[in-house]
Amino acid sequence: MRKRRVARRVLVVMGELTDKQGQEGSVSVQAARPKLKRPPMYKVIILNDDYTPMDFVVMILEKFFAMNREKATRIMLQVHTRGAGVCGIFSRDIAETKVAQVENYSRQHNHPLKCTMEVA
Ligand code: TYC
């Protein structure tokens, strides 16, 4: 697990600008609780089917996921035997784009290959 970055923002509490002795200008300062979470990353997953040719799937993995032939073949065979496989992990926008690219390209070539994404 990556170390969380500590937010260094400071919350200035301006409630008591005049203290009990009537001295002006007292300001208390406390660390703010960090409230931002890192956005989730997404696994892009291809699914097996009975019709898409193996070499087409290998070509998809090379073209859209920058895999070399060896890795693309290994992932394709894993999907073929186990039903599904992870092609990569991306930010939500990039994952959505990969899913759309794979499905559009497959439809254009009349293959039913399905691709989906889920939080990593
Ligand atoms: N099962 C397909 C076949 O036998 C090959 C295939 C592999 C299809 C992976 C889709 O995501 C897939 N031709």
Side-chain angles (χ1 to χ4, degrees), residues 46-55 57-58 61 75-81 83-85 113-114:
I46 52 167
L47 304 176
N48 189 33
D49 64 71
D50 290 339
Y51 305 102
T52 305
M54 290 185 174
D55 59 351
V57 178
V58 170
L61 294 171
I75 300 293
M76 181 279 295
L77 285 173
Q78 182 190 312
V79 176
H80 176 69
T81 53
L113 182 63
K114 293 293 290 178

